[in-house]
Amino acid sequence: MIKVENLHKTFGKLEVLKGINCEVTEKEVVCVIGPSGSGKSTFLRCINLLEEITDGAVYIGGAQVNDPKTNINDIRTEVGMVFQQFNLFPHMSVIDNVTMAPMLIRKMDKKSAEELALELLDKVGLREKADNFPQQLSGGQQQRVAIARALAMKPKVMLFDEPTSALDPEMVQEVLDVMKALAKEGMTMVVVTHEMGFAREVADRVIFMDGGYIVEEGLPSEIFANPKNDRTKAFLGKIL
Amino acid sequence: MDFLFNLRWDIIWNYRELFLQGIWITIVLTVSGYIGGIILGVFLGLGKTSKKKWIYWPCKIYVDLFRGTPLLVQILIIHLALIPTIFGHSLGVMFSGIAALVLNSAAYNAEIFRAGIESIDKGQTEAARSLGLTQGQAMRKVILPQAFRRMVPPLGNEFIALLKDSSLVMVIAVNDILYAAKVVAGAYQKFWEPYLTAALLYLILTFVVTKIVAYVERRFSIDYNPRKNKGGRVAR
């Protein structure tokens, strides 16, 4: 589904990603963990080209994302993304946030787009908030709307960039629950997270990144129970 | 304070038609200058947010040039030098006057548009692009609707500033309010009456415009107050 080959990313003189190789298969849930500054968010943002790729290649469903001939907008419709800061559109009601892209890009008519949106809002438990505006919702509710908004494009892959890091502690679980349900349905997911409990429980594979490299990867049970690399040990020792 | 009682307001009354025409001309100048300035300003402002150097630099130079020189000088250059050079002859003082106001206010509006667009969080563009919207669609559906709300107050100020600045076109003999005052002053060698009248007329116009701007602000610049959106949807 996703294939990353020798991915390099530099910001000016700073090399953030120093050659990442990885593959995510269909229906797989991959959690990316690591200390801040390790490049995990940048890695995620390179997958749908929110960051320009300096060198290497990323393929989604066979198409090379950073090939100039590829229409990146088409690829992005297949790749949903959820941000740390939610980034809901504040000038639109909740339901309009969800229906905008399907109507604009998939050319859905208003009625079926709204049906779809209500179905998705139901799924994230916020059907009754359809007519509210984002700033009337709590952080956890906003993030769940953001997930519904991404799902409205019926993506094949979902990318989560620290989806619970900006939330008050009591709201973390409601977002994780939605993600868990999504994983159970067989969505392919790449999740950058600090929620080790979630990674342990839901991930099929955990990737540990540090200093711009993938240092270690494997089953969550292996990584959390006996990490092999010293840096992984040190990191997990600090946070578990 | 004797002079106050010796003012001869009857001469203003005698020239009332000249003043009425002046009011009309001032309104025409300001409104057409403003509309033209907004249209041109949008493009300049978008150009100034562009990453492409060949778009960015001409827009930046234009804006710096028009903001860095006095409007009075611009009016004279446009009327006496630029238009005769391009067209071979004058196109009339009204044309020159409006052209100068459009070109000048566009530079100021460009900065308002640029600042408005850049004030919107980058995450908004990213969220829109990650859904598959093109740069243009993200701009139209997500960025501009939010940016416009923030632009309303400064654009209102610009309208009031332009109304007052329009008096400068008197220098090329456009028959606006100030021109009427000057004619009367010249004819009677009286200065209090005509210039006070001009000041009062501008004051009334800016007062009216301020009220309009305040209304538009109330209507548009509120931050997504949901109560304003009632009636859009009913219970389903």
Side-chain angles (χ1 to χ4, degrees):
Chain A
M1 189 84 242
I2 304 176
K3 199 167 146 200
V4 179
E5 281 176 359
N6 194 27
L7 173 63
H8 286 260
K9 171 67 188 174
T10 51
F11 289 107
K13 278 184 190 144
L14 183 70
E15 188 167 31
V16 181
L17 298 178
K18 300 169 180 166
I20 303 283
N21 289 288
C22 105
E23 219 169 310
V24 179
T25 56
E26 216 176 310
K27 302 199 173 186
E28 198 179 10
V29 177
V30 175
C31 281
V32 184
I33 61 170
S36 51
S38 59
K40 48 193 196 309
S41 278
T42 308
F43 164 59
L44 194 75
R45 291 160 58 84
C46 282
I47 293 177
N48 67 350
L49 215 66
L50 280 186
E51 298 292 348
E52 231 171 277
I53 291 171
T54 311
D55 198 18
V58 174
Y59 300 89
I60 294 180
Q64 189 181 343
V65 169
N66 57 329
D67 183 341
K69 277 174 279 184
T70 308
N71 183 346
I72 186 62
N73 299 317
D74 288 345
I75 291 188
R76 282 178 179 148
T77 61
E78 309 282 328
V79 183
M81 183 145 187
V82 175
F83 299 85
Q84 186 177 348
Q85 299 295 342
F86 333 132
N87 295 342
L88 290 180
F89 307 131
H91 59 301
M92 297 180 190
S93 64
V94 163
I95 193 162
D96 289 345
N97 264 276
V98 182
T99 57
M100 182 195 64
M103 284 170 65
L104 195 64
I105 297 165
R106 300 262 195 252
K107 307 290 173 210
M108 252 188 187
D109 62 88
K110 195 174 168 77
K111 194 165 162 280
S112 34
E114 291 195 340
E115 273 167 23
L116 170 70
L118 287 173
E119 198 180 298
L120 290 168
L121 289 173
D122 210 18
K123 194 167 165 173
V124 300
L126 290 170
R127 189 193 180 98
E128 76 281 8
K129 300 285 185 189
D131 295 334
N132 287 67
F133 276 69
Q135 60 274 37
Q136 298 174 302
L137 306 185
S138 71
Q141 292 173 329
Q142 289 193 44
Q143 192 62 299
R144 287 187 279 153
V145 173
I147 294 173
R149 177 178 70 178
L151 290 175
M153 292 301 282
K154 301 208 160 65
K156 297 201 174 76
V157 186
M158 285 285 283
L159 308 176
F160 293 85
D161 187 4
E162 303 198 20
T164 57
S165 299
L167 296 177
D168 291 339
E170 75 268 24
M171 292 166 183
V172 169
Q173 201 51 47
E174 62 189 55
V175 173
L176 293 181
D177 286 344
V178 168
M179 292 167 63
K180 232 179 271 179
L182 205 54
K184 229 173 245 167
E185 284 172 21
M187 175 62 79
T188 312
M189 292 164 62
V190 183
V191 185
V192 171
T193 187
H194 291 294
E195 294 294 328
M196 296 304 146
F198 176 82
R200 200 193 303 241
E201 189 186 340
V202 182
D204 296 310
R205 185 153 48 103
V206 172
I207 292 179
F208 173 70
M209 281 183 73
D210 192 18
Y213 296 101
I214 292 182
V215 175
E216 190 170 351
E217 60 181 304
L219 294 170
S221 51
E222 289 168 16
I223 298 261
F224 289 114
N226 2 266
K228 291 183 185 64
N229 190 288
D230 286 342
R231 280 189 283 176
T232 320
K233 281 180 200 161
F235 174 73
L236 290 175
K238 264 181 242 160
I239 81 176
L240 288 181
Chain B
M1 292 300 280
D2 257 4
F3 76 93
L4 272 181
F5 303 101
N6 298 329
L7 290 182
R8 289 194 43 210
W9 294 108
D10 57 308
I11 62 175
I12 302 299
W13 182 248
N14 291 341
Y15 278 85
R16 62 188 179 277
E17 274 175 22
L18 197 60
F19 277 103
L20 283 175
Q21 188 192 21
I23 293 169
W24 172 243
I25 294 291
T26 291
I27 291 172
V28 170
L29 278 170
T30 308
V31 170
S32 32
Y34 190 66
I35 293 170
I38 282 192
I39 294 167
L40 185 56
V42 171
F43 289 106
L44 288 166
L46 283 171
K48 279 201 75 181
T49 63
S50 174
K51 285 195 193 87
K52 298 192 180 84
K53 286 200 168 96
W54 61 274
I55 297 178
Y56 171 81
W57 277 103
C59 294
K60 177 173 167 52
I61 290 169
Y62 178 96
V63 170
D64 288 354
L65 221 59
F66 275 88
R67 298 207 321 163
T69 54
L71 175 58
L72 189 55
V73 176
Q74 293 163 18
I75 292 168
L76 290 171
I77 291 179
I78 287 166
H79 180 63
L80 300 173
L82 188 68
I83 288 178
T85 306
I86 296 174
F87 297 98
H89 54 85
S90 166
L91 296 176
V93 290
M94 201 59 190
F95 184 89
S96 298
I98 291 174
L101 292 177
V102 167
L103 295 175
N104 180 272
S105 73
Y108 286 90
N109 290 336
E111 281 302 288
I112 294 171
F113 284 115
R114 182 197 57 77
I117 290 166
E118 287 178 356
S119 75
I120 305 300
D121 185 71
K122 229 182 104 217
Q124 292 288 310
T125 312
E126 289 185 349
R129 296 302 305 271
S130 78
L131 288 165
L133 273 72
T134 64
Q135 184 68 45
Q137 287 170 327
M139 191 53 95
R140 270 186 294 120
K141 292 282 180 181
V142 175
I143 306 303
L144 287 180
Q146 295 181 58
F148 271 129
R149 288 176 167 83
R150 297 190 186 178
M151 292 172 195
V152 169
L155 283 178
N157 289 343
E158 181 55 27
F159 191 82
I160 293 164
L162 189 68
L163 173 63
K164 292 184 286 180
D165 286 349
S166 74
S167 63
L168 288 169
V169 300
M170 191 265 287
V171 74
I172 55 172
V174 175
N175 49 349
D176 68 345
I177 292 173
L178 191 58
Y179 179 86
K182 192 174 175 249
V183 167
V184 175
Y188 287 88
Q189 292 302 305
K190 292 246 173 221
F191 302 101
W192 276 107
E193 297 86 343
Y195 288 119
L196 272 182
T197 305
L200 185 69
L201 290 175
Y202 279 111
L203 192 64
I204 292 168
L205 285 178
T206 50
F207 179 79
V208 171
V209 170
T210 309
K211 287 287 165 210
I212 296 172
V213 169
Y215 172 78
V216 174
E217 265 180 47
R218 267 204 312 281
R219 188 78 185 71
F220 289 104
S221 77
I222 301 161
D223 248 344
Y224 325 119
N225 185 338
R227 271 169 301 169
K228 288 264 167 196
N229 289 284
K230 67 181 172 193
R233 286 169 198 289
V234 284
R236 33 183 117 237

mmCIF file of all heavy atoms in Angstrom, chain B residues 77-110:
data_model
loop_
_atom_site.group_PDB
_atom_site.id
_atom_site.type_symbol
_atom_site.label_atom_id
_atom_site.label_comp_id
_atom_site.label_asym_id
_atom_site.label_seq_id
_atom_site.Cartn_x
_atom_site.Cartn_y
_atom_site.Cartn_z
ATOM 1 N N ILE B 77 2.118 62.980 -12.337
ATOM 2 C CA ILE B 77 2.831 62.146 -13.310
ATOM 3 C C ILE B 77 1.837 61.432 -14.216
ATOM 4 O O ILE B 77 1.984 61.422 -15.446
ATOM 5 C CB ILE B 77 3.731 61.115 -12.594
ATOM 6 C CG1 ILE B 77 4.899 61.837 -11.900
ATOM 7 C CG2 ILE B 77 4.272 60.079 -13.588
ATOM 8 C CD1 ILE B 77 5.831 60.925 -11.135
ATOM 9 N N ILE B 78 0.783 60.858 -13.627
ATOM 10 C CA ILE B 78 -0.177 60.094 -14.425
ATOM 11 C C ILE B 78 -0.885 60.997 -15.423
ATOM 12 O O ILE B 78 -0.998 60.683 -16.609
ATOM 13 C CB ILE B 78 -1.200 59.376 -13.511
ATOM 14 C CG1 ILE B 78 -0.509 58.199 -12.804
ATOM 15 C CG2 ILE B 78 -2.414 58.889 -14.299
ATOM 16 C CD1 ILE B 78 -1.286 57.632 -11.639
ATOM 17 N N HIS B 79 -1.331 62.171 -14.949
ATOM 18 C CA HIS B 79 -2.108 63.035 -15.840
ATOM 19 C C HIS B 79 -1.239 63.735 -16.887
ATOM 20 O O HIS B 79 -1.604 63.798 -18.062
ATOM 21 C CB HIS B 79 -2.856 64.094 -15.028
ATOM 22 C CG HIS B 79 -3.672 65.012 -15.886
ATOM 23 N ND1 HIS B 79 -4.718 64.556 -16.656
ATOM 24 C CD2 HIS B 79 -3.578 66.355 -16.121
ATOM 25 C CE1 HIS B 79 -5.235 65.586 -17.332
ATOM 26 N NE2 HIS B 79 -4.561 66.683 -17.018
ATOM 27 N N LEU B 80 -0.093 64.244 -16.450
ATOM 28 C CA LEU B 80 0.696 65.081 -17.348
ATOM 29 C C LEU B 80 1.734 64.310 -18.143
ATOM 30 O O LEU B 80 2.125 64.744 -19.230
ATOM 31 C CB LEU B 80 1.388 66.187 -16.545
ATOM 32 C CG LEU B 80 0.436 67.128 -15.789
ATOM 33 C CD1 LEU B 80 1.220 68.069 -14.893
ATOM 34 C CD2 LEU B 80 -0.442 67.913 -16.761
ATOM 35 N N ALA B 81 2.178 63.161 -17.620
ATOM 36 C CA ALA B 81 3.256 62.444 -18.303
ATOM 37 C C ALA B 81 2.819 61.069 -18.809
ATOM 38 O O ALA B 81 2.915 60.779 -20.001
ATOM 39 C CB ALA B 81 4.451 62.294 -17.364
ATOM 40 N N LEU B 82 2.314 60.240 -17.903
ATOM 41 C CA LEU B 82 2.059 58.836 -18.258
ATOM 42 C C LEU B 82 0.987 58.689 -19.343
ATOM 43 O O LEU B 82 1.225 58.089 -20.393
ATOM 44 C CB LEU B 82 1.647 58.057 -16.999
ATOM 45 C CG LEU B 82 1.545 56.546 -17.181
ATOM 46 C CD1 LEU B 82 2.929 55.940 -17.412
ATOM 47 C CD2 LEU B 82 0.890 55.897 -15.957
ATOM 48 N N ILE B 83 -0.192 59.261 -19.108
ATOM 49 C CA ILE B 83 -1.291 59.068 -20.055
ATOM 50 C C ILE B 83 -1.002 59.718 -21.409
ATOM 51 O O ILE B 83 -1.194 59.074 -22.449
ATOM 52 C CB ILE B 83 -2.630 59.544 -19.431
ATOM 53 C CG1 ILE B 83 -3.039 58.533 -18.341
ATOM 54 C CG2 ILE B 83 -3.721 59.671 -20.487
ATOM 55 C CD1 ILE B 83 -4.295 58.873 -17.599
ATOM 56 N N PRO B 84 -0.515 60.973 -21.452
ATOM 57 C CA PRO B 84 -0.163 61.546 -22.758
ATOM 58 C C PRO B 84 0.897 60.728 -23.498
ATOM 59 O O PRO B 84 0.842 60.606 -24.727
ATOM 60 C CB PRO B 84 0.389 62.935 -22.400
ATOM 61 C CG PRO B 84 -0.219 63.256 -21.102
ATOM 62 C CD PRO B 84 -0.366 61.960 -20.372
ATOM 63 N N THR B 85 1.832 60.124 -22.758
ATOM 64 C CA THR B 85 2.865 59.331 -23.418
ATOM 65 C C THR B 85 2.275 58.057 -24.012
ATOM 66 O O THR B 85 2.589 57.672 -25.136
ATOM 67 C CB THR B 85 3.988 58.965 -22.413
ATOM 68 O OG1 THR B 85 4.450 60.169 -21.810
ATOM 69 C CG2 THR B 85 5.133 58.251 -23.110
ATOM 70 N N ILE B 86 1.396 57.419 -23.258
ATOM 71 C CA ILE B 86 0.829 56.158 -23.732
ATOM 72 C C ILE B 86 -0.179 56.395 -24.855
ATOM 73 O O ILE B 86 -0.137 55.747 -25.903
ATOM 74 C CB ILE B 86 0.145 55.385 -22.578
ATOM 75 C CG1 ILE B 86 1.186 54.977 -21.524
ATOM 76 C CG2 ILE B 86 -0.581 54.148 -23.108
ATOM 77 C CD1 ILE B 86 0.596 54.339 -20.279
ATOM 78 N N PHE B 87 -1.096 57.351 -24.667
ATOM 79 C CA PHE B 87 -2.201 57.525 -25.615
ATOM 80 C C PHE B 87 -1.967 58.654 -26.617
ATOM 81 O O PHE B 87 -2.742 58.834 -27.545
ATOM 82 C CB PHE B 87 -3.512 57.778 -24.856
ATOM 83 C CG PHE B 87 -3.918 56.633 -23.990
ATOM 84 C CD1 PHE B 87 -3.630 56.639 -22.631
ATOM 85 C CD2 PHE B 87 -4.578 55.526 -24.526
ATOM 86 C CE1 PHE B 87 -4.003 55.575 -21.820
ATOM 87 C CE2 PHE B 87 -4.950 54.458 -23.715
ATOM 88 C CZ PHE B 87 -4.656 54.481 -22.368
ATOM 89 N N GLY B 88 -0.937 59.445 -26.405
ATOM 90 C CA GLY B 88 -0.656 60.539 -27.324
ATOM 91 C C GLY B 88 -1.411 61.815 -26.988
ATOM 92 O O GLY B 88 -1.104 62.881 -27.514
ATOM 93 N N HIS B 89 -2.415 61.714 -26.129
ATOM 94 C CA HIS B 89 -3.166 62.904 -25.724
ATOM 95 C C HIS B 89 -3.836 62.622 -24.385
ATOM 96 O O HIS B 89 -3.895 61.467 -23.945
ATOM 97 C CB HIS B 89 -4.226 63.257 -26.773
ATOM 98 C CG HIS B 89 -5.131 62.115 -27.082
ATOM 99 N ND1 HIS B 89 -6.244 61.823 -26.333
ATOM 100 C CD2 HIS B 89 -5.058 61.155 -28.048
ATOM 101 C CE1 HIS B 89 -6.833 60.743 -26.824
ATOM 102 N NE2 HIS B 89 -6.131 60.307 -27.857
ATOM 103 N N SER B 90 -4.355 63.657 -23.760
ATOM 104 C CA SER B 90 -5.031 63.480 -22.480
ATOM 105 C C SER B 90 -6.362 62.763 -22.673
ATOM 106 O O SER B 90 -6.999 62.890 -23.732
ATOM 107 C CB SER B 90 -5.282 64.846 -21.840
ATOM 108 O OG SER B 90 -6.196 64.706 -20.783
ATOM 109 N N LEU B 91 -6.773 61.988 -21.680
ATOM 110 C CA LEU B 91 -8.085 61.327 -21.739
ATOM 111 C C LEU B 91 -9.057 62.040 -20.815
ATOM 112 O O LEU B 91 -10.074 61.474 -20.409
ATOM 113 C CB LEU B 91 -7.952 59.860 -21.356
ATOM 114 C CG LEU B 91 -7.088 59.011 -22.292
ATOM 115 C CD1 LEU B 91 -6.945 57.597 -21.768
ATOM 116 C CD2 LEU B 91 -7.682 58.982 -23.704
ATOM 117 N N GLY B 92 -8.729 63.264 -20.443
ATOM 118 C CA GLY B 92 -9.613 64.018 -19.555
ATOM 119 C C GLY B 92 -9.153 63.906 -18.116
ATOM 120 O O GLY B 92 -8.550 62.914 -17.711
ATOM 121 N N VAL B 93 -9.447 64.949 -17.332
ATOM 122 C CA VAL B 93 -8.975 64.976 -15.957
ATOM 123 C C VAL B 93 -9.663 63.919 -15.102
ATOM 124 O O VAL B 93 -9.080 63.356 -14.186
ATOM 125 C CB VAL B 93 -9.173 66.369 -15.328
ATOM 126 C CG1 VAL B 93 -8.206 67.368 -15.954
ATOM 127 C CG2 VAL B 93 -10.609 66.831 -15.463
ATOM 128 N N MET B 94 -10.934 63.632 -15.424
ATOM 129 C CA MET B 94 -11.664 62.649 -14.632
ATOM 130 C C MET B 94 -11.018 61.276 -14.778
ATOM 131 O O MET B 94 -10.832 60.544 -13.795
ATOM 132 C CB MET B 94 -13.131 62.635 -15.101
ATOM 133 C CG MET B 94 -14.087 62.075 -14.106
ATOM 134 S SD MET B 94 -14.077 62.965 -12.537
ATOM 135 C CE MET B 94 -15.079 61.832 -11.588
ATOM 136 N N PHE B 95 -10.673 60.926 -15.995
ATOM 137 C CA PHE B 95 -10.024 59.635 -16.245
ATOM 138 C C PHE B 95 -8.712 59.556 -15.475
ATOM 139 O O PHE B 95 -8.432 58.573 -14.786
ATOM 140 C CB PHE B 95 -9.784 59.444 -17.749
ATOM 141 C CG PHE B 95 -9.205 58.105 -18.091
ATOM 142 C CD1 PHE B 95 -10.031 57.017 -18.344
ATOM 143 C CD2 PHE B 95 -7.821 57.916 -18.143
ATOM 144 C CE1 PHE B 95 -9.497 55.770 -18.637
ATOM 145 C CE2 PHE B 95 -7.281 56.670 -18.440
ATOM 146 C CZ PHE B 95 -8.122 55.592 -18.687
ATOM 147 N N SER B 96 -7.913 60.624 -15.598
ATOM 148 C CA SER B 96 -6.627 60.637 -14.904
ATOM 149 C C SER B 96 -6.814 60.531 -13.393
ATOM 150 O O SER B 96 -6.093 59.800 -12.700
ATOM 151 C CB SER B 96 -5.865 61.928 -15.208
ATOM 152 O OG SER B 96 -5.592 62.011 -16.573
ATOM 153 N N GLY B 97 -7.791 61.274 -12.889
ATOM 154 C CA GLY B 97 -8.036 61.281 -11.448
ATOM 155 C C GLY B 97 -8.412 59.901 -10.936
ATOM 156 O O GLY B 97 -7.844 59.410 -9.951
ATOM 157 N N ILE B 98 -9.373 59.265 -11.626
ATOM 158 C CA ILE B 98 -9.787 57.924 -11.194
ATOM 159 C C ILE B 98 -8.627 56.944 -11.321
ATOM 160 O O ILE B 98 -8.367 56.141 -10.426
ATOM 161 C CB ILE B 98 -11.013 57.443 -12.006
ATOM 162 C CG1 ILE B 98 -12.244 58.273 -11.617
ATOM 163 C CG2 ILE B 98 -11.281 55.965 -11.781
ATOM 164 C CD1 ILE B 98 -13.479 57.998 -12.446
ATOM 165 N N ALA B 99 -7.902 57.041 -12.447
ATOM 166 C CA ALA B 99 -6.765 56.124 -12.653
ATOM 167 C C ALA B 99 -5.774 56.250 -11.506
ATOM 168 O O ALA B 99 -5.309 55.242 -10.954
ATOM 169 C CB ALA B 99 -6.084 56.435 -13.989
ATOM 170 N N ALA B 100 -5.449 57.478 -11.120
ATOM 171 C CA ALA B 100 -4.481 57.679 -10.045
ATOM 172 C C ALA B 100 -4.985 57.074 -8.736
ATOM 173 O O ALA B 100 -4.227 56.408 -8.015
ATOM 174 C CB ALA B 100 -4.189 59.167 -9.874
ATOM 175 N N LEU B 101 -6.266 57.288 -8.435
ATOM 176 C CA LEU B 101 -6.809 56.759 -7.181
ATOM 177 C C LEU B 101 -6.857 55.228 -7.195
ATOM 178 O O LEU B 101 -6.555 54.576 -6.188
ATOM 179 C CB LEU B 101 -8.211 57.328 -6.920
ATOM 180 C CG LEU B 101 -8.261 58.829 -6.615
ATOM 181 C CD1 LEU B 101 -9.706 59.296 -6.458
ATOM 182 C CD2 LEU B 101 -7.461 59.174 -5.369
ATOM 183 N N VAL B 102 -7.222 54.656 -8.356
ATOM 184 C CA VAL B 102 -7.239 53.186 -8.463
ATOM 185 C C VAL B 102 -5.839 52.633 -8.236
ATOM 186 O O VAL B 102 -5.630 51.740 -7.414
ATOM 187 C CB VAL B 102 -7.760 52.736 -9.856
ATOM 188 C CG1 VAL B 102 -7.473 51.255 -10.087
ATOM 189 C CG2 VAL B 102 -9.250 52.997 -9.981
ATOM 190 N N LEU B 103 -4.866 53.185 -8.966
ATOM 191 C CA LEU B 103 -3.508 52.646 -8.889
ATOM 192 C C LEU B 103 -2.939 52.809 -7.489
ATOM 193 O O LEU B 103 -2.245 51.935 -6.980
ATOM 194 C CB LEU B 103 -2.605 53.351 -9.918
ATOM 195 C CG LEU B 103 -2.978 53.100 -11.381
ATOM 196 C CD1 LEU B 103 -2.103 53.937 -12.311
ATOM 197 C CD2 LEU B 103 -2.856 51.623 -11.726
ATOM 198 N N ASN B 104 -3.239 53.951 -6.854
ATOM 199 C CA ASN B 104 -2.709 54.200 -5.513
ATOM 200 C C ASN B 104 -3.371 53.306 -4.463
ATOM 201 O O ASN B 104 -2.693 52.649 -3.672
ATOM 202 C CB ASN B 104 -2.891 55.677 -5.159
ATOM 203 C CG ASN B 104 -2.347 55.990 -3.776
ATOM 204 O OD1 ASN B 104 -3.057 55.870 -2.783
ATOM 205 N ND2 ASN B 104 -1.073 56.359 -3.710
ATOM 206 N N SER B 105 -4.705 53.264 -4.466
ATOM 207 C CA SER B 105 -5.364 52.492 -3.400
ATOM 208 C C SER B 105 -5.127 51.003 -3.599
ATOM 209 O O SER B 105 -5.124 50.239 -2.634
ATOM 210 C CB SER B 105 -6.854 52.812 -3.333
ATOM 211 O OG SER B 105 -7.532 52.245 -4.416
ATOM 212 N N ALA B 106 -4.897 50.570 -4.849
ATOM 213 C CA ALA B 106 -4.593 49.156 -5.086
ATOM 214 C C ALA B 106 -3.357 48.733 -4.307
ATOM 215 O O ALA B 106 -3.294 47.619 -3.775
ATOM 216 C CB ALA B 106 -4.397 48.893 -6.577
ATOM 217 N N ALA B 107 -2.376 49.623 -4.226
ATOM 218 C CA ALA B 107 -1.142 49.287 -3.511
ATOM 219 C C ALA B 107 -1.423 49.074 -2.025
ATOM 220 O O ALA B 107 -0.896 48.140 -1.411
ATOM 221 C CB ALA B 107 -0.103 50.381 -3.701
ATOM 222 N N TYR B 108 -2.269 49.936 -1.462
ATOM 223 C CA TYR B 108 -2.596 49.778 -0.044
ATOM 224 C C TYR B 108 -3.468 48.547 0.186
ATOM 225 O O TYR B 108 -3.277 47.790 1.141
ATOM 226 C CB TYR B 108 -3.293 51.036 0.487
ATOM 227 C CG TYR B 108 -2.325 52.182 0.661
ATOM 228 C CD1 TYR B 108 -2.072 53.079 -0.366
ATOM 229 C CD2 TYR B 108 -1.622 52.335 1.852
ATOM 230 C CE1 TYR B 108 -1.151 54.097 -0.219
ATOM 231 C CE2 TYR B 108 -0.703 53.352 2.016
ATOM 232 C CZ TYR B 108 -0.470 54.241 0.979
ATOM 233 O OH TYR B 108 0.447 55.238 1.131
ATOM 234 N N ASN B 109 -4.453 48.341 -0.718
ATOM 235 C CA ASN B 109 -5.310 47.165 -0.584
ATOM 236 C C ASN B 109 -4.511 45.881 -0.711
ATOM 237 O O ASN B 109 -4.805 44.895 -0.043
ATOM 238 C CB ASN B 109 -6.415 47.191 -1.643
ATOM 239 C CG ASN B 109 -7.432 48.272 -1.361
ATOM 240 O OD1 ASN B 109 -7.587 48.698 -0.223
ATOM 241 N ND2 ASN B 109 -8.111 48.720 -2.400
ATOM 242 N N ALA B 110 -3.500 45.889 -1.599
ATOM 243 C CA ALA B 110 -2.683 44.687 -1.785
ATOM 244 C C ALA B 110 -2.093 44.244 -0.460
ATOM 245 O O ALA B 110 -2.096 43.054 -0.136
ATOM 246 C CB ALA B 110 -1.565 44.960 -2.790
#
